[in-house]
Amino acid sequence: MSVQERKERERAGRERLIVAVARELAEQQGWDAVTTRRLAERIEYSQPVLYSHFRGKREIIGAVALEGAAEMAAALRAAARAEDGPHKRVAALARAYLDFAERNPAVYDAMFQLDGGLAFAREDTPEPLKDGFAALLESLGEVAGDGVHPGLFTEVFWASLHGLATLTRAGRLPPQDTEARVELLVDRLAVI
Amino acid sequence: MSVQERKERERAGRERLIVAVARELAEQQGWDAVTTRRLAERIEYSQPVLYSHFRGKREIIGAVALEGAAEMAAALRAAARAEDGPHKRVAALARAYLDFAERNPAVYDAMFQLDGGLAFAREDTPEPLKDGFAALLESLGEVAGDGVHPGLFTEVFWASLHGLATLTRAGRLPPQDTEARVELLVDRLAVI
DNA sequence: TTGCTTGTCTAGCGATGCTAGGATCGAATC
DNA sequence: GATTCGATCCTAGCATCGCTAGACAAGCAA
């Protein structure tokens, strides 16, 4: 039994290594540079080994996305917890979101721009994704306003942040006024 | 002289054909299906001909994006012109924006998701893109609120719409409550 | 007719994601 | 300790991608 357990441990370790290397490579040189050949070379195995862990490149992107979602949820909760009062909390949340997107562009892409083969907004949505949305909902629910469904409000707020994050990073919005845009968004959307 | 003029006309016509076919193919089967080989086959010329018109696939995407930007600007202005009063006008504008994105997903991708090699938010930004932003600004400037820079407000509003458009289409937001989300966004962001 | 420019095509390069089939290695059995 | 056998891994290759070099043909000027 012990032999098999050891093998499973090694396999799990190698799988974590694949995801970590994919993420690192993506952050360093962009997802285009994450080819199966390069990935295989970096983990010091041949290409087909990747396919014994993942069905394809898409699934590797999906694994990075899940890892990122868990981290983002934690970062959002930490930022919200550090502030008193709904308004300050929401502002901190928004900044933390955009900060995460800016600091981890490749991970953010894996989560929201690329196709990682993950289900969203459904029953079978993976737990880390649901939890990321929940982390937003926790702070945003209290500023949704009377008669507005908290979930719907969270969706709108999230979409707005997502728009700011992606357009800024793609050079579609000038980078200098980021802070002013966040303030405007929070002041208008959040009630009290 | 006439011979040369005829040739230039034919060349320009072929270039329009390339862009039209690329757009059609992208809308039908997605941008992944727009390969240089398939494109060449459909215009009934060999691959290298494409490269005598465009530097590469990126530039073809860029051409589709410019065409789309001009159409979108016209659609936004038409929607705004049909309504009286700032609030109604902005609501119509928002719906027209999301409607365009939904009806022309491939064109929308070319404009805002893919790399078409275009400059944004800069001096040398192509005219159709500037005009698209201007079309938004015309209606949104009057609801920016006191002391808020119209351009900044337009950026935030646009980013929010962009977030809704992309997240909805990628299946990240449930499709049914789209209208409620738009109403909420307009009600909160637009002043009076 | 002879040259030259202009236009187009065939063929090919180096990559990509992914896979079939053979080799190798280690654990279990005699 | 030798042998069998299954799991594990690698070499080699496929189809396709964006892009380009070089051959070829058509049309114009001399």
Side-chain angles (χ1 to χ4, degrees), chain A residues 5-77:
Chain A
E5 282 175 7
R6 192 204 70 222
K7 286 196 176 181
E8 280 174 16
R9 259 202 325 273
E10 288 173 354
R11 243 191 96 75
R14 195 171 61 181
E15 190 158 314
R16 280 194 301 275
L17 179 65
I18 293 172
V19 176
V21 168
R23 175 175 177 168
E24 185 186 349
L25 196 50
E27 291 293 4
Q28 285 174 354
Q29 310 182 38
W31 276 104
D32 278 352
V34 183
T35 68
T36 55
R37 274 169 241 273
R38 238 189 300 257
L39 205 45
E41 195 189 1
R42 298 241 179 156
I43 64 167
E44 294 182 313
Y45 281 93
S46 70
Q47 264 182 297
V49 165
L50 299 174
Y51 293 86
S52 76
H53 288 271
F54 302 95
R55 300 173 70 90
K57 192 182 169 181
R58 253 178 45 159
E59 226 173 57
I60 297 177
I61 294 173
V64 172
L66 289 186
E67 196 178 287
E71 284 178 28
M72 180 182 243
L76 295 181
R77 288 203 172 92

Side-chain angles (χ1 to χ4, degrees), chain B residues 111-192:
Chain B
M111 292 167 68
F112 300 129
Q113 298 269 65
L114 302 175
D115 178 14
L118 302 174
F120 275 81
R122 286 171 36 181
E123 275 296 321
D124 57 337
T125 295
E127 207 48 53
L129 296 178
K130 284 185 184 173
D131 192 51
F133 189 81
L136 286 172
L137 187 62
E138 286 159 19
S139 293
L140 292 173
E142 55 183 351
V143 296
D146 291 341
V148 174
H149 190 280
L152 189 83
F153 177 78
T154 301
E155 288 173 359
V156 171
F157 201 99
W158 171 38
S160 301
L161 289 175
H162 176 68
L164 284 178
T166 54
L167 290 180
T168 301
R169 200 161 69 69
R172 257 85 169 174
L173 288 177
Q176 57 264 27
D177 299 321
T178 299
E179 178 55 27
R181 284 191 285 262
V182 178
E183 279 178 27
L184 177 59
L185 186 72
V186 172
D187 286 349
R188 291 281 166 92
L189 283 188
V191 173
I192 301 288

Side-chain angles (χ1 to χ4, degrees), chain A residues 106-148:
Chain A
V107 173
Y108 192 84
D109 282 348
M111 291 167 67
F112 301 129
Q113 299 268 66
L114 302 175
D115 179 12
L118 301 175
F120 275 81
R122 285 170 37 181
E123 275 297 320
D124 57 335
T125 295
E127 207 48 52
L129 297 178
K130 284 185 183 172
D131 192 52
F133 188 81
L136 287 172
L137 187 63
E138 286 160 19
S139 292
L140 292 173
E142 54 183 351
V143 296
D146 290 341
V148 174

Side-chain angles (χ1 to χ4, degrees), chain A residues 73-110:
Chain A
L76 295 181
R77 288 203 172 92
R81 211 180 309 118
E83 298 288 339
D84 288 338
H87 187 279
K88 275 191 171 182
R89 197 153 38 234
V90 170
L93 186 80
R95 290 194 189 92
Y97 185 97
L98 296 175
D99 193 59
F100 184 90
E102 192 184 334
R103 279 198 222 273
N104 309 278
V107 173
Y108 192 84
D109 282 348

Side-chain angles (χ1 to χ4, degrees), chain A residues 179-189, chain B residues 148 152-153 156:
Chain A
E179 178 54 27
R181 285 191 284 263
V182 178
E183 280 178 25
L184 178 59
L185 186 72
V186 172
D187 286 349
R188 291 281 167 91
L189 283 188
Chain B
V148 174
L152 189 83
F153 177 78
V156 171

